[in-house]
Amino acid sequence: MAQKPSIPKGTRDFSPAEVTKRNYIFGKIQEQFKKFGFQPIETPSFENSDTLMGKYGEEGDRLIFKILNSGDFLRKADANAYEEKDSLKITSSISEKALRYDLTVPFARYVVQHQNEIEFPFKRYQIQPVWRADRPQKGRFREFYQCDADVVGSDSLWQEVEFIQLYDAVFTALNLKGVSIKINNRKILSGFAEVIGEQDKLIDFTVALDKLDKIGEEGVKKEMLEKGISEAAIAKIQPIFSLKGNFAEKVENLKGILENSETGRKGIEELEFVQNAIAEMPLQTSALDLDVTLARGLNYYTGAIFEVSAPEEVKLGSIGGGGRYDDLTGIFGLKNISGVGISFGLDRIFLVLEELNLFPPTVTESTKVLFINFGDKEALYALKAVQKLRRNNITAELYPESSKMKKQMNHANKREIPFVVLAGDEEMEQQRFTLKNMKSGEQFSVTPDELLTRLN
Amino acid sequence: MAQKPSIPKGTRDFSPAEVTKRNYIFGKIQEQFKKFGFQPIETPSFENSDTLMGKYGEEGDRLIFKILNSGDFLRKADANAYEEKDSLKITSSISEKALRYDLTVPFARYVVQHQNEIEFPFKRYQIQPVWRADRPQKGRFREFYQCDADVVGSDSLWQEVEFIQLYDAVFTALNLKGVSIKINNRKILSGFAEVIGEQDKLIDFTVALDKLDKIGEEGVKKEMLEKGISEAAIAKIQPIFSLKGNFAEKVENLKGILENSETGRKGIEELEFVQNAIAEMPLQTSALDLDVTLARGLNYYTGAIFEVSAPEEVKLGSIGGGGRYDDLTGIFGLKNISGVGISFGLDRIFLVLEELNLFPPTVTESTKVLFINFGDKEALYALKAVQKLRRNNITAELYPESSKMKKQMNHANKREIPFVVLAGDEEMEQQRFTLKNMKSGEQFSVTPDELLTRLN
């Protein structure tokens, strides 16, 4: 019986044009990853549940897609949970595997599992899909790709410098100018909490501060008050709301604000190291900026925090982010491995390039020439030429059936194939082809060699 | 608490060398797919369960990985099944989505769902992973890639010809010589069943015949007898066990065997068409052979059936297969769309190339030069050169920390990086670099331009 076909909400089919454009972005990112010395790894789509569960907080656990055990899975179901019909409690007894939620935890698992084969510092990149049972909405999907590059096994700040250069190299390669690479440092945020005497409210403080863009200064202060941060403390931190000027000027101001915090001063030192290096090796098309409100996944990050914004005119927000984490592999038993990494937001970058019309027209070009099929004898003559063209790197096709000429020409038009070849009795006799330019309508009688030259 | 990390059985982590080699194969296949005019699509990793269930037989249904519904899934569980603790019966009420089992059914779903956007005949390729809850064993995985190319919307035999050329083009590009492309036709098999008067036992007959390679002539006959095919019928079909000679000679023999079957004669005609075309356009490195025992997924196929074997010396069996199917999209309500397609077995091809040592050594080359880090001042000098090299397409790295020289040189050795650059006070003063060839041990003092030239 016929079913009306559809796909699960939050997932997507990608058409040829979409796949080709996405691959163009992947290709540019991958090319730079490689040039910077990153090596690819791939991990399985699903992991043992205990590898993933508990790593992303309670909300994260809920958003992880669980895979039902095979066979008679109810036989091993937790008896109490079954009795109580408790979905949450029964899950671990009927599902042992789960789809990966990000690439970071599987990477940490990979590093620990393969630590004896890995030569540290290990620079790896990984471009694979991840799955989240999020409520689907515009621009938020249940299956999407992540493109990550990380270095583990060294705490050198040169890596922060290189990641900024890497971002710049990728966006330059994509011809996307005006990208803003914002940097902050967890130690700056810790310093703020320290100087206002609210170390124990660091998370609440930074979560509120991170919203400055969205809810404004008053909104941030209101949220801080609600979280129990005193008015006096907020007054002390007032200067950070009005940090102005370029990177160096902001840093000078920070030095005043954080002069009594050792951690804060260390943060400033790290920021200055990175800024000085970039000043010595100017970026090509992106700009580096200091944004002390940037917090992102603070629980993770221990040093630098990155966020990359699309050019302002497109209003698409973050197209990448990352930072330094000092103990990611600790959850799997390998301590004291510092890491730093960045990721690229493929879907957002796609929208930005689309909006700014930055996909080169050649990206979606496919077949260059279609040979019209006039019957078996002519088709054989044509296919021999098609074969020769392909072996010379030209994408060529023979229309598979000897349909009406008009239908075949329409096919070429609809697929935007720029050239058509017609070869009937006359052409075959003369060992020639009639080449038609579909745009101009011009026709030429050509020899096999000329055909190759004209299409090359 | 530390967990001992592992991955689910039947899945794999891929190291940088493995990913790179796999990508080499994907790249060669993709290049030829494109050259032949195939366009890429991608479908979601999971489909609605009713898209997949019932399409692969009972065994297939069991092997499909089901995804547990999110939230309080037990609330909607089928009450009777819950009462009876019936795992099989409860599944559809607690799982609405499933991981794709192959690329063919999702492709059929795609074609039907997007029929109004598609210009037929539609040549698509798709390279994505699939998942099967098979018992893991040597060479059989629960997650693996399929690489498929199909044409839908035309029943022209020129497509069979082109798929043979496509196989030949890919294996030639991989430098894998001696591949055997075996062809059969469902109509030949139907013809056999017809001439022996056992049409209703066609499946049993062909399933047995397909095992000739493995169990030999006596084994096949024994199985046929067991399935209720009469001795007289088997005697009639005796000549097919001793078909000898080249393609044309086998066809001549078949003409005798099948002279009384119209379907069989049609099958011969189709085989001859393909064989004649290939004779006119000889294959580069593969050989086309007729194998009348070939059945593969007979339920599917209605015309040509392909199977590709690795060169005999590697004994790895099938590295690809395919065939024509006349009503794949019918299950989703779109009738009378003929299709034909082939697929490449990535994992097997990988093993074949590995065994025959056919991966070019350049495939796994990554970083070309490592700059030794002697401290921040020197590192900045080095990183400026690194940046210049990268912008000239040379993969270069700076060791991130100013560790002991020996440790850094060891790192270069372990990663098989062929060149190292040393630049300390003296080099910086002279605006030069010391370039060391790690294989020969030779060292050269070079200018920045010479550095570029030597590494290019």
Side-chain angles (χ1 to χ4, degrees), chain A residues 263-276:
Chain A
T263 307
R265 289 198 307 271
K266 180 84 178 92
I268 291 174
E269 201 180 288
E270 292 186 11
L271 284 174
E272 281 192 302
F273 181 93
V274 171
Q275 153 67 3
N276 289 339

Side-chain angles (χ1 to χ4, degrees), chain B residues 97 148 166 288 364 412:
Chain B
K97 291 180 286 289
D148 285 14
L166 176 56
L288 180 65
T364 47

Side-chain angles (χ1 to χ4, degrees), chain B residues 27 33 83 88 132 138 167 210 214 237 281 286 339 377 389 442:
Chain B
F33 280 175
E83 187 78 20
L88 192 63
R132 295 182 186 179
K138 198 175 177 302
Y167 268 135
D210 199 33
K214 282 172 201 146
I237 214 66
M281 295 172 285
S286 302
K377 196 163 43 87
L389 291 174
E442 286 171 297

Side-chain angles (χ1 to χ4, degrees), chain A residues 324-387:
Chain A
R324 180 172 288 279
Y325 40 86
D326 272 331
D327 196 24
L328 189 70
T329 56
I331 47 174
F332 298 112
L334 185 61
K335 300 280 179 198
N336 302 319
I337 298 280
S338 186
V340 53
I342 61 171
S343 86
F344 288 81
L346 175 83
D347 288 307
R348 291 279 186 86
I349 294 172
F350 186 99
L351 293 174
V352 171
L353 297 190
E354 202 69 292
E355 187 158 332
L356 296 177
N357 211 3
L358 290 178
F359 285 111
T362 48
V363 164
T364 47
E365 269 174 18
S366 56
T367 294
K368 192 138 187 198
V369 57
L370 179 75
F371 283 66
I372 301 298
N373 187 330
F374 291 108
D376 283 348
K377 195 165 45 88
E378 294 86 351
L380 179 61
Y381 180 76
L383 197 54
K384 284 180 180 175
V386 165
Q387 190 176 41

Side-chain angles (χ1 to χ4, degrees), chain A residues 185-296:
Chain A
N185 196 299
R186 157 78 177 245
K187 298 184 180 86
I188 299 286
L189 294 167
S190 297
F192 288 156
E194 202 182 318
V195 298
I196 62 172
E198 303 272 15
Q199 284 104 314
D200 57 328
K201 299 215 176 65
L202 173 62
I203 302 287
D204 287 335
F205 172 79
T206 52
V207 165
L209 191 59
D210 199 32
K211 295 181 185 162
L212 184 60
D213 259 9
K214 282 173 203 148
I215 59 177
E217 186 177 330
E218 290 316 307
V220 170
K221 286 177 179 170
K222 190 163 158 262
E223 183 169 322
M224 286 181 176
L225 276 172
E226 283 166 11
K227 295 286 180 184
I229 296 168
S230 72
E231 288 223 36
I234 296 172
K236 259 192 215 162
I237 214 67
Q238 180 61 37
I240 65 175
F241 291 111
S242 45
L243 278 184
K244 287 273 157 24
N246 63 23
F247 201 114
E249 288 159 354
K250 285 182 189 165
V251 166
E252 282 315 308
N253 272 321
L254 278 184
K255 282 181 180 168
I257 300 169
L258 293 171
E259 62 180 336
N260 293 321
S261 161
E262 197 187 319
T263 307
R265 289 198 307 271
K266 180 84 178 92
I268 291 174
E269 201 180 288
E270 292 186 11
L271 284 174
E272 281 192 302
F273 181 93
V274 171
Q275 153 67 3
N276 289 339
I278 295 297
E280 286 277 346
M281 295 172 286
L283 301 180
Q284 299 168 91
T285 60
S286 302
L288 180 64
D289 194 13
L290 171 58
D291 180 353
V292 297
T293 70
L294 198 62
R296 289 180 67 93

